[in-house]
Amino acid sequence: MLAVVERPDGKKNWIVTDQNGTLSSIKPQQVTYVVPGTMNFDCSRIAEFLEKAEDLLDPTILECAWMELSEKDKSVTVEEFADIVYGSKESLESYCAHFLLSRDIVYFLKVESRGSSTYQPRTSAQVDELLRRKLAKEAADKELEEFVDLLKSAKALPLDSKPSKSSWLMDEKVKQKIESLQAYAVDACNDSQRRMAGNILKAMGFSRTSSAALKLLINVGYFPVHVNLDLFRYDVQTTYTEEVLSVAEELLADCPDSDKHIRKDLSSLRVYAIDVDEADELDDALSATRLPDGRIKVWIHVADPTCFLQPRSIIDREAMHRGTSIFLPTATFPMFPERLAMNAMSLQQGTDCRSVSVSVTLNLDGSIAEYMIENSVIKPTYMLTYEGATELLYMNLEEEEDLRILQEAASIRAQWRCSQGSIDTSMIEPRIKVANPDDPEPNINLYVEDQNNPAMQLVTEMMILCGEVVAAFGADNNIPLPYRGHPQSSTAVSAFAYLPEGPARSVANISVLRAAEMDFRKPVAHGVLGVPGYVQFTSPIRRYVDLLAHYQVKAFLRGDTPPYSAGDLEGMTFIASMHVKVARRLHSNSLRYWLLEYLRRQPKGRKYKALILKFIKGRMATLLLVDVGIQVTTAVAAGKVGDEATVVVEMVHPRDDILSVTEIPEDTD
């Protein structure tokens, strides 16, 4: 602001009057230039002065003066510059010269020397570079302005008329800006993206925060309301390259079977495949019969994807770097290309399917009498959900005797493992399926599964049995495998016998567990499962470490040397496990978000039955909402671990991961 120096203020400061007549005391450093010839100047005339100055402030003057002075390589003062360009050193011309020079970023460089300032003309090279930068900035500013106008326009449109996500990515410059906002929203941006996103948010009148960027992207229709930011935060690969897809199609067309000559025909067996109702990849199934001596023989049939694959092939490498299939309430991202995983590799009802069959004869006490692992062909008879299989068990149909035998086998196996010190860690687990996640109010289907469900227990016991057999097979034949173990806890299982069976006792058991172990040369005892050794083997389509076990076992069955050494397995398991951890975090975060969204939609004041799992401090406890399957923390007035309480939801914000509940007395209406 232009002002007039009136008088000194103390030893250093000055009293000035601005064009509004306001007196201020300022430091000398705050004065950019003292206009000469203003003694006894009336501040009311400043407006007139500025009006006259407007006619003289032509920016092209700078370029003309620079061309003249650069030839002479001559520095000038403000007064000298005024004299050169205006032919006068009076106050008006000197002020205009100062105004132009002080704002110039291209032609002149200000040089301070002993309290005086001069302006030195820059070199031609410097001017060219600065002009280039200036033009680039002006272009960038214009681009930003146009992009902000685009955002404002999209923001104002009704939801069903907003631009599609793909339309924001068609123009490269728009794409860069929208991706900068996306990176900013997930706190995963570089310096350039941070600056760009910050400028956009400022121009839109938003605060420079990740939540503001997310809100903006939702408001313009780029993100759906319930976007899963973890997919971007963890850079999850949800698609496959053209090269991988092309190789997958070649495998589908050729359908190679490296073990055809040693495959046993088990297609006459009654085969039950039991899984969750939305399972896309079916990789295990069961059969059973009662032998003449009263013992039970069971078969655990596992899908055989390795008959399509070669170790270290492009499909195999891709699977290793994914580590696992990712299962979210909104989508499934398979470890293998979808057509390969869900068609050729998966077990199909009523179709001859290649498998690896683990047959086990059980002693009457549930221990293993004998076993065999062989390549096979099976024809799955039933594809059942856990609910469907449980219903069949309750119906006790005569024609489903094999299913009842499987349940009996599971029962004696559970008793045998208990006698070996197994620990019950079964919980109530929620599952959510969201059919239309991109809608603002998608349909949420909640299933709460009790892991003590008969069909689920049946499948669990058979999978553990399979893992024990494969570990024994590896030990008997000196095969390097990813052996899993879990040391027995120093706390006896009986320590929590006073707690009711179910989640409360399971949480107590889990709280004292020691860290899991892995060995790649020999089995290690799995104290939690109560088995002498264990290898995950039953999910080779969805877990890469299971696939590694298949490679090793299948090679031995063919009479070949296993493709991987113990050291190889350790390194590859480490790589796959890093991706498995991300997948688990993704699943856990996504499941919790949708559970909170489910609770948000429930009628206010709805009562929930809760189970006290543990006390944290004083009467502050962790509770399990039994009908939802989610854990919460709140104070309870009375009760002990394992007791029930009744709570209501006070506040829930899914995006901020906030859930607050309050206990209410049982007799409160």
Side-chain angles (χ1 to χ4, degrees):
M1 180 179 287
L2 191 61
V4 176
V5 176
E6 296 281 2
R7 62 183 181 273
D9 181 26
K11 291 183 178 180
K12 294 184 178 179
N13 291 0
W14 294 92
I15 296 293
V16 303
T17 308
D18 65 22
Q19 61 201 63
N20 299 319
T22 304
L23 287 174
S24 304
S25 177
I26 66 173
K27 297 177 182 179
Q29 296 93 319
Q30 294 175 276
V31 180
T32 60
Y33 187 66
V34 177
V35 181
T38 56
M39 193 68 72
N40 300 319
F41 189 84
D42 182 359
C43 66
S44 64
R45 292 170 54 202
I46 291 178
E48 178 190 346
F49 183 90
L50 289 173
E51 188 176 345
K52 291 179 180 179
E54 282 294 322
D55 296 333
L56 300 177
L57 295 175
D58 182 358
T60 60
I61 290 173
L62 285 166
E63 183 178 5
C64 296
W66 170 78
M67 292 175 66
E68 179 180 338
L69 293 170
S70 62
E71 290 179 2
K72 303 173 184 177
D73 193 21
K74 180 183 178 182
S75 298
V76 292
T77 63
V78 168
E79 290 82 359
E80 289 170 342
F81 187 87
D83 195 32
I84 292 170
V85 299
Y86 298 120
S88 171
K89 298 181 183 179
E90 293 302 314
S91 57
L92 178 63
E93 288 77 12
S94 292
Y95 167 74
C96 291
H98 164 69
F99 186 94
L100 291 171
L101 288 168
S102 62
R103 286 160 176 74
D104 173 47
I105 60 170
V106 176
Y107 297 103
F108 292 91
L109 178 66
K110 186 177 182 180
V111 180
E112 301 282 358
S113 178
R114 296 182 182 179
S116 63
S117 301
T118 60
Y119 290 84
Q120 177 183 338
R122 300 181 190 271
T123 66
S124 296
Q126 290 173 330
V127 168
D128 289 345
E129 175 61 19
L130 290 169
L131 279 173
R132 185 191 66 78
R133 292 184 189 178
K134 182 183 177 184
L135 291 172
K137 184 179 183 306
E138 289 172 352
D141 290 345
K142 184 179 180 183
E143 277 182 22
L144 176 61
E145 183 181 351
E146 291 173 349
F147 181 70
V148 167
D149 288 342
L150 193 62
L151 291 175
K152 290 178 178 178
S153 173
K155 189 169 177 284
L157 291 171
L159 186 63
D160 57 356
S161 301
K162 293 186 185 295
S164 64
K165 182 175 182 178
S166 59
S167 68
W168 291 99
L169 306 176
M170 293 172 65
D171 181 272
E172 188 60 34
K173 291 178 180 178
V174 171
K175 179 182 177 182
Q176 285 180 359
K177 292 176 178 61
I178 208 81
E179 288 182 344
S180 293
L181 283 171
Q182 175 179 300
Y184 199 86
V186 299
D187 296 319
C189 52
N190 56 38
D191 290 342
S192 174
Q193 289 174 323
R194 185 176 291 106
R195 284 192 300 272
M196 184 175 287
N199 290 337
I200 294 167
L201 291 170
K202 181 181 178 182
M204 287 291 295
F206 283 61
S207 59
R208 297 185 185 186
T209 61
S210 57
S211 59
L214 172 61
K215 182 179 178 181
L216 176 58
L217 290 170
I218 291 173
N219 286 343
V220 301
Y222 180 76
F223 276 159
V225 173
H226 300 286
V227 60
N228 187 344
L229 292 180
D230 282 345
L231 293 175
F232 305 100
R233 191 171 284 126
Y234 299 125
D235 194 23
V236 177
Q237 299 301 309
T238 59
T239 58
Y240 287 87
T241 65
E242 287 298 324
E243 182 184 15
V244 170
L245 292 174
S246 175
V247 173
E249 289 301 318
E250 290 174 9
L251 289 173
L252 284 165
D254 190 27
C255 283
D257 184 3
S258 54
D259 303 294
K260 184 176 181 179
H261 61 292
I262 54 171
R263 224 172 260 292
K264 185 174 182 179
D265 186 0
L266 297 178
S267 59
S268 61
L269 289 175
R270 184 177 290 248
V271 177
Y272 298 88
I274 306 172
D275 212 325
V276 294
D277 58 356
E278 70 267 22
D280 296 310
E281 307 157 334
L282 291 172
D283 44 17
D284 53 69
L286 306 168
S287 301
T289 191
R290 193 180 302 279
L291 300 176
D293 61 6
R295 293 185 301 174
I296 294 174
K297 182 176 182 178
V298 298
W299 287 263
I300 301 98
H301 310 288
V302 185
D304 187 11
T306 62
C307 70
F308 290 90
L309 306 174
Q310 290 297 321
R312 302 181 179 89
S313 65
I314 183 171
I315 298 287
D316 173 71
R317 296 293 87 177
E318 181 73 18
M320 182 183 73
H321 287 290
R322 290 173 182 259
T324 181
S325 295
I326 298 175
F327 301 98
L328 303 179
T330 53
T332 296
F333 304 113
M335 184 173 75
F336 292 107
E338 185 171 323
R339 273 170 45 79
L340 202 57
M342 299 177 187
N343 295 322
M345 290 180 173
S346 286
L347 302 179
Q348 309 282 333
Q349 184 175 7
T351 302
D352 285 343
C353 301
R354 306 169 193 175
S355 64
V356 180
S357 293
V358 177
S359 59
V360 190
T361 300
L362 297 175
N363 290 315
L364 296 179
D365 65 353
S367 60
I368 297 172
E370 56 188 57
Y371 69 82
M372 181 178 290
I373 301 177
E374 53 195 341
N375 294 285
S376 63
V377 174
I378 63 169
K379 183 179 288 187
T381 315
Y382 293 107
M383 295 293 187
L384 299 172
T385 64
Y386 289 118
E387 294 80 7
T390 298
E391 187 176 343
L392 272 180
L393 287 169
Y394 285 144
M395 291 170 68
N396 198 25
L397 299 174
E398 184 177 343
E399 59 268 28
E400 299 303 337
E401 182 185 1
D402 290 359
L403 189 60
R404 294 201 305 275
I405 293 172
L406 276 169
Q407 186 182 30
E408 183 182 338
S411 177
I412 63 173
R413 276 294 296 173
Q415 293 171 25
W416 180 82
R417 288 196 305 108
C418 185
S419 72
Q420 303 301 306
S422 67
I423 298 173
D424 182 14
T425 59
S426 58
M427 288 289 291
I428 291 176
E429 294 288 344
R431 266 193 309 116
I432 278 184
K433 194 71 175 175
V434 183
N436 48 343
D438 288 346
D439 288 357
E441 292 286 325
N443 296 323
I444 300 175
N445 297 305
L446 172 65
Y447 310 88
V448 180
E449 296 174 339
D450 185 347
Q451 292 182 335
N452 287 319
N453 167 289
M456 193 167 284
Q457 278 191 314
L458 184 160
V459 172
T460 298
E461 287 299 334
M462 293 302 102
M463 299 305 106
I464 294 172
L465 175 60
C466 180
E468 182 185 352
V469 167
V470 173
F473 182 79
D476 291 345
N477 297 288
N478 198 29
I479 305 172
L481 288 170
Y483 299 100
R484 295 178 180 272
H486 216 133
Q488 287 277 10
S489 170
S490 55
T491 303
V493 176
S494 59
F496 302 115
Y498 69 94
L499 294 172
E501 286 188 14
R505 187 186 294 181
S506 294
V507 166
N509 286 333
I510 292 168
S511 69
V512 297
L513 291 182
R514 295 162 66 183
E517 298 176 349
M518 287 202 76
D519 196 297
F520 299 91
R521 292 172 176 81
K522 61 183 186 303
V524 287
H526 203 301
V528 175
L529 299 180
V531 295
Y534 183 70
V535 173
Q536 284 188 332
F537 193 76
T538 57
S539 295
I541 304 176
R542 59 181 87 175
R543 289 194 302 240
Y544 186 74
V545 177
D546 293 40
L547 187 73
L548 287 177
H550 273 244
Y551 280 135
Q552 300 293 92
V553 168
K554 293 286 297 299
F556 183 86
L557 293 177
R558 284 194 301 270
D560 298 338
T561 302
Y564 299 117
S565 67
D568 294 333
L569 290 177
E570 185 171 6
M572 296 165 76
T573 299
F574 176 80
I575 293 171
S577 296
M578 298 302 291
H579 297 283
V580 170
K581 288 178 182 177
V582 171
R584 286 176 180 164
R585 196 175 302 127
L586 269 169
H587 173 78
S588 174
N589 291 353
S590 184
L591 178 63
R592 181 171 174 82
Y593 175 89
W594 286 104
L595 287 173
L596 294 184
E597 177 63 15
Y598 172 84
L599 288 170
R600 186 187 69 81
R601 299 186 189 183
Q602 301 310 300
K604 190 168 181 62
R606 174 184 167 182
K607 296 178 183 180
Y608 297 89
K609 184 173 76 173
L611 190 68
I612 301 175
L613 297 180
K614 63 180 179 180
F615 285 96
I616 302 168
K617 186 177 182 181
R619 299 303 300 175
M620 187 63 66
T622 298
L623 309 179
L624 173 69
L625 302 191
V626 178
D627 295 332
V628 184
I630 193 171
Q631 294 187 21
V632 297
T633 302
T634 192
V636 293
K640 60 185 183 298
V641 172
D643 286 351
E644 290 187 356
T646 303
V647 300
V648 293
V649 173
E650 295 289 346
M651 181 171 57
V652 57
H653 294 297
R655 184 64 67 187
D656 300 319
D657 192 20
I658 294 173
L659 173 60
S660 173
V661 304
T662 302
E663 184 190 23
I664 58 172
E666 284 290 344
D667 57 353
T668 298
D669 186 2

